[in-house]
Amino acid sequence: MTLSTDELQFDDDRPSVEYEGSWYDTFAKVVAHVILLTASAIMTIPFIWAFFTSLKPENEIFTTIKQIIPSDPTFVNYVNVWMQNPLDRWILNSLILAVGVVFFTLLLDTLAGYALAKGDFRGKSLVYTLVIGTLVIPPQVVLVPLYLEMNAINWSNTYWAIMVLYIANPFGTFMMRQFFLGVPDSLIEAARMDGCSTFQIYTRIMLPLAKPALSSLGVFTFIFVWGAFLWPLVILNDSAMYPLQVGIGLLTGRYGSQWGQLLAAVILAALPVLAAYLLAQRTFMEGIALTGGKG
Amino acid sequence: MAQSQGLQRIRRRFGGYVSDFDVSDSDTDLSWYALVLPKAILFAAILLIPFIGAFYISLHEWAPLAQEHPFVGLDNYVRLFNDPIFWNAIINTAGYSFALLVFDVPIALGLALLLNMNLRGTKFYSGAIFLPVVTSWVVVSLIWTWLYNPEYGLLNAILGGIGLPQLSWLQSSSTALASIALMSVWKHIGFNMVIFLAGLKGIPDDYYEAAIVDGANRWERFRYITLPLLKPTTFFVFIVTLIFSFRVYTQVYVMTQGGPVRSTYTIVYYFWQAGFQQFEMGYASAIAVVLFLIVFGLSIVQQRTWGDDVEY
């Protein structure tokens, strides 16, 4: 948990310390390449295979297993699964949830993290104890009472009911506090001398400084909420409110043998995050390295 | 600022607490509360109160629509203790976690070491290996259900192609849990790899350069520099993987629904079934409390062992 962004340079040009240049060195490099290439193949082939299968017409899927690339690719499975299920609504639900949670997480966690790092107020250690204490609670433990609580205030089947659990996650607060602790006090004192209020210091100094940490936390929170399954499944009983993951997760029963359509839905569900990942690989990895302890 | 001067006077009147308070800062004192309160209220309403509520509900017979929820003391826990399905779930979850630790952590470390050699193409390799991490559990579970398909799946096609016996994967009670674990290792390895990689990048180059000057060979540098300095990261990865793996649920729901013959029932799957299928919320809460105690115990071990490395 002491990782910092500086430690994670994936594309740095610093020279390798393995500069012995002997035949042994070359051999080691070849072996390393072979292993890494194999691992990369094992990681990507399931996606590629699922994608090619989704392009085969339903009757061809079970007759042409050995022919991986379809001879006559078609999007008919995508059209069918889209027509038969409210996929557009599920995607919209997922987007609203993910964007909402990211927004509130970044806002509330930077505010609270700043106050806990630099503030001086009664009850500070109590709040901090709460952050650390709730870090170790597996989210499943609160689901039954939270379900009853959400029903009691008539929030079941709302976006809020789903979002609150993820917005309440203490990890971002912990992470932002650690980050702001590293901001020198002299910077804050100087701003205060210039007449900045606590809130102005937040908007003019803390937030701009925290940009790298914010993008990491934001990206990771987005993946996390985009993949959320159990809590939405529990709190929703109207299928129009399903996020995409819950929607396609429940398709299996109905699509027992229609693998073409099922995999088309799966590819659709994976695409947004995969596309974002290919564009900003480094930010994603930093997000994981920084927020690795998040549940 | 008149208002905050008033605040200072109040603080002075109320004694001890004020003395160690930096007066020059106190004119903005109240605004700290405005910053921290929204999150603090959320913690209390969404995590803390429900957390206490879970203990409370676990001591009751609690059907959600019933008018009354009779107090039953520790009956739910006694029932849990004597419930073979629950013990089966514990054993399955432990087995799953064990498989993840044994395969995921060492392979992730190995891959991170290879990537840390700064070979050409490192960015491509790390990108590919990390790909499953960003994909959701539902997506990879569905893809792997198709890979595992006994008749039409890729895995059996490969096994058949190289002359090995084909497996029934998710459809046999002897292989279903192992199949889910194998998929989870595949999905999760990039996550640990990146954390290991960050740990490796945190070891200063000077150490290695000094060791090379001193004539240390590759193995000695690994044994006496990399391994000891990577120990905190390794332990962190180990415990976090363990804690995560105890929450296994989505894969089970999507791939096997706990079957065949409950061979993939896990703690959280049983919790979900008791609470949100049978609507026995008291019993489900008892399961949740036990899950908490297990994970809490593991967290304590983590903090004890991490000691100075964690800035709490």
Side-chain angles (χ1 to χ4, degrees), chain A residues 2 7 10 18 25 33 42 62 109 120 122 145 149 167-169 178 192 198 245 250 252 277 294, chain B residues 17 25 28-29 33 39 43 45 50 120 123 125 127 136 142 146 152 186 197 201 218 244 253 309 311:
Chain A
T2 53
E7 290 164 10
F10 284 100
E18 316 290 335
D25 196 54
H33 273 296
I42 292 171
F62 300 105
D109 285 343
D120 197 352
R122 182 168 267 190
E149 194 179 317
I167 300 173
N169 191 315
Q178 300 302 94
R192 191 145 285 176
T198 302
Q245 305 299 324
L250 296 183
T252 34
Y277 169 62
K294 186 166 177 168
Chain B
Y17 177 72
D25 252 11
T28 50
D29 179 60
Y33 289 106
K39 190 77 193 193
F43 279 143
R120 201 174 282 269
K123 207 178 169 192
Y125 294 138
S136 76
L142 287 169
W146 176 234
Y152 308 109
W186 172 86
L197 200 52
K201 299 284 185 198
R218 195 184 298 263
F244 275 146
Y253 182 94
D309 294 312
E311 303 157 20

Side-chain angles (χ1 to χ4, degrees), chain A residues 158-169:
Chain A
T158 64
Y159 294 122
W160 287 114
I162 308 174
M163 293 199 306
V164 284
L165 179 64
Y166 305 110
I167 300 173
N169 191 315

Side-chain angles (χ1 to χ4, degrees), chain B residues 154-285:
Chain B
L154 185 64
L155 286 175
N156 269 355
I158 293 171
L159 286 182
I162 55 177
L164 290 171
Q166 308 201 333
L167 296 170
S168 44
W169 303 104
L170 299 169
Q171 284 163 19
S172 149
S173 57
S174 56
T175 50
L177 188 65
S179 302
I180 291 184
L182 175 66
M183 184 274 281
S184 305
V185 169
W186 172 86
K187 158 97 164 85
H188 195 257
I189 243 171
F191 186 96
N192 285 341
M193 178 192 79
V194 165
I195 295 177
F196 271 129
L197 200 52
L200 287 170
K201 299 284 185 198
I203 301 175
D205 280 351
D206 324 0
Y207 291 13
Y208 293 107
E209 277 151 19
I212 289 170
V213 170
D214 288 347
N217 66 29
R218 195 184 298 263
W219 164 250
E220 285 165 342
R221 294 194 311 260
F222 176 71
R223 172 73 187 76
Y224 296 108
I225 299 176
T226 313
L227 269 190
L229 287 176
L230 209 57
K231 215 167 124 187
T233 312
T234 310
F235 199 78
F236 174 73
V237 165
F238 201 79
I239 293 293
V240 166
T241 303
L242 194 58
I243 290 174
F244 275 146
S245 64
F246 261 85
R247 305 177 187 169
V248 48
Y249 171 80
T250 308
Q251 310 92 295
V252 173
Y253 182 94
V254 174
M255 297 175 89
T256 62
Q257 298 268 319
V261 251
R262 294 216 176 89
S263 61
T264 54
Y265 253 60
T266 61
I267 299 177
V268 176
Y269 190 80
Y270 192 36
F271 158 80
W272 169 79
Q273 243 218 342
F276 299 101
Q277 291 248 286
Q278 324 275 351
F279 286 106
E280 293 192 73
M281 298 204 153
Y283 196 53
S285 291

